Amino acid sequence: MKIKITGIGSYIPEKKVSNTDFGDHVFLNEDGTSFGAPNDVVIKKFKSITGIEHRRYAEDHLNSSDLAFFASKKAIQNAAIDPETIDYIIFAHNFGDVKSGTSQSDMLPSLATRVKNKLQIKNPKCVAYDILFGCPGWIEGILQANAFIKSGMAKRCLVIGSETLSRVVDDHDRDSMIYSDGAGAAIVEASDDETGMLSYESGTYAIDEANYLFFGKSYNTDLDPDTRYIKMHGRKIYEFALNTVPVAMKSCLDKSGIAIDDVKKILIHQANEKMDEAIIQRFYKLHDRPVPQDIMPMSISELGNSSVATVPTLFDLLIRGEIKNQSIQKGDVLLFASVGAGMNVNAFVYRY
């Protein structure tokens, strides 16, 4: 028995923020000193490295659990199921609900419970809980759904990834331009045919790597040092991802028994365009193969990095034919992969 995604949905906020909107920001060094380069130069370099030109921010009156609810409704409709038959709601996020204009995280009750409430699911045996697993959280949620279904503990799960990263960024940090908001959700069920998950890989690296992503004070020393924002050691994350993710992807593919040439698409966390391209190049180098054209659908240029939401949103857009020059057919083999805070790495091979 395998598990498969029978319904998929996403919510992309309407508020579109362009790189030029950062033209008046005061970017600073970590020690609070002036960055020393004009913003147009900073923004141009940022675009060349990350590939990001636009990103989406949630409307002020909406929180992460609201975005998740919208994506979940679409996934349930896409799967054509009764929500009362869902056994588990697994909600991957990082910062809970952060109201616009504030910096305090709200995770009581759990965001999964909030979504269950918004969906008006009455069944008490529908268990709702959150997971904190960095950007790979949605994929990890899929792996947990796989375990629940294969063990007989569940027949149907709702797996959500949602985040409002725009509300936990330091406006004086150039990295603030990377992050965005959004949500993706999937209905996961048992599969008795040839479709579904074929293999998986997951791991946490926490000796030297645990604090590559962390909460830290603003680069503006005039601000309250007790107010914290998402921070990262970008170069260390880049090197870690290039050394670790391709190996995990290869291990995952080897377990599946699928040949590298039979992989039709690779859906990788939309973190940084150049980093993702380098990961794919190393992955194919491990197989002594050139990188096939159009193997890696991308959404980061328009949507930015919405953490746990990037992969399910990308999958939804791909299925709906909304990514230029990209499409998939029934029976195609896909490889999903992600890397993020923890540091965590995971992947799964999937026949569509």
Side-chain angles (χ1 to χ4, degrees), residues 284-299:
Y284 275 90
K285 188 175 181 180
L286 291 174
H287 293 86
D288 295 319
R289 293 283 197 279
V291 178
Q293 186 175 3
D294 297 327
I295 191 70
M296 183 175 64
M298 297 293 288
S299 62

Side-chain angles (χ1 to χ4, degrees), residues 21-43:
D21 293 323
F22 291 86
D24 294 330
H25 278 228
V26 179
F27 293 120
L28 301 171
N29 293 309
E30 187 176 354
D31 62 1
T33 58
S34 175
F35 186 65
N39 280 9
D40 59 341
V41 173
V42 173
I43 291 168

Side-chain angles (χ1 to χ4, degrees), residues 18-19 22 27 39-55 173-179 232 271-274 300 304-305:
S18 302
N19 286 349
F22 291 86
F27 293 120
N39 280 9
D40 59 341
V41 173
V42 173
I43 291 168
K44 184 177 180 180
K45 184 176 181 181
F46 168 84
K47 169 66 167 63
S48 69
I49 293 173
T50 66
I52 299 172
E53 189 167 355
H54 303 100
R55 75 280 296 139
D173 186 342
R174 288 164 294 155
D175 289 339
S176 65
M177 292 188 287
I178 293 173
Y179 302 114
M232 66 177 176
N272 173 315
E273 189 173 71
K274 283 200 179 303
I300 193 170
N305 176 355

Side-chain angles (χ1 to χ4, degrees), residues 184-349:
I187 296 295
V188 180
E189 304 183 63
S191 171
D192 293 324
D193 55 29
E194 295 302 313
T195 62
M197 183 187 295
L198 304 178
S199 62
Y200 63 88
E201 188 78 19
S202 186
T204 296
Y205 298 76
I207 300 301
D208 299 320
E209 306 86 356
N211 295 307
Y212 285 178
L213 274 150
F214 61 98
F215 246 24
K217 63 183 180 180
S218 172
Y219 289 173
N220 185 341
T221 55
D222 292 333
L223 297 180
D224 184 353
D226 291 329
T227 300
R228 300 287 166 154
Y229 307 88
I230 184 173
K231 297 288 181 177
M232 66 177 176
H233 298 300
R235 171 50 59 179
K236 289 183 178 181
I237 292 172
Y238 186 90
E239 292 172 352
F240 170 81
L242 262 60
N243 290 328
T244 311
V245 180
V247 175
M249 292 166 63
K250 184 179 186 303
S251 174
C252 188
L253 187 62
D254 289 346
K255 290 178 183 178
S256 74
I258 298 293
I260 181 70
D261 294 334
D262 291 332
V263 175
K264 299 301 182 184
K265 299 293 176 186
I266 297 175
L267 279 67
I268 193 167
H269 167 50
Q270 306 291 284
N272 173 315
E273 189 173 71
K274 283 200 179 303
M275 185 178 83
D276 288 349
E277 289 173 350
I279 288 171
I280 298 301
Q281 288 169 358
R282 289 201 179 190
F283 172 63
Y284 275 90
K285 188 175 181 180
L286 291 174
H287 293 86
D288 295 319
R289 293 283 197 279
V291 178
Q293 186 175 3
D294 297 327
I295 191 70
M296 183 175 64
M298 297 293 288
S299 62
I300 193 170
S301 65
E302 290 299 312
L303 301 183
N305 176 355
S306 57
S307 186
V308 289
T310 68
V311 174
T313 298
L314 182 67
F315 189 34
D316 186 33
L317 293 173
L318 180 61
I319 289 174
R320 292 194 278 120
E322 295 189 15
I323 301 180
K324 189 176 180 180
N325 299 322
Q326 294 283 352
S327 64
I328 54 174
Q329 308 297 324
K330 289 295 182 183
D332 282 355
V333 174
L334 314 176
L335 176 55
F336 293 73
S338 188
V339 58
M343 290 292 288
N344 300 314
V345 175
N346 54 20
F348 67 87
V349 177

Side-chain angles (χ1 to χ4, degrees), residues 138-194:
W138 180 81
I139 289 182
E140 198 65 22
I142 294 291
L143 302 189
Q144 291 186 11
N146 176 61
F148 284 139
I149 293 170
K150 284 192 170 181
S151 70
M153 290 178 64
K155 292 183 178 179
R156 179 175 286 156
C157 300
L158 169 61
V159 182
I160 308 164
S162 180
E163 195 57 80
T164 52
L165 290 176
S166 68
R167 298 175 183 176
V168 293
V169 296
D170 174 11
D171 290 338
H172 301 283
D173 186 342
R174 288 164 294 155
D175 289 339
S176 65
M177 292 188 287
I178 293 173
Y179 302 114
S180 65
D181 307 339
I187 296 295
V188 180
E189 304 183 63
S191 171
D192 293 324
D193 55 29
E194 295 302 313

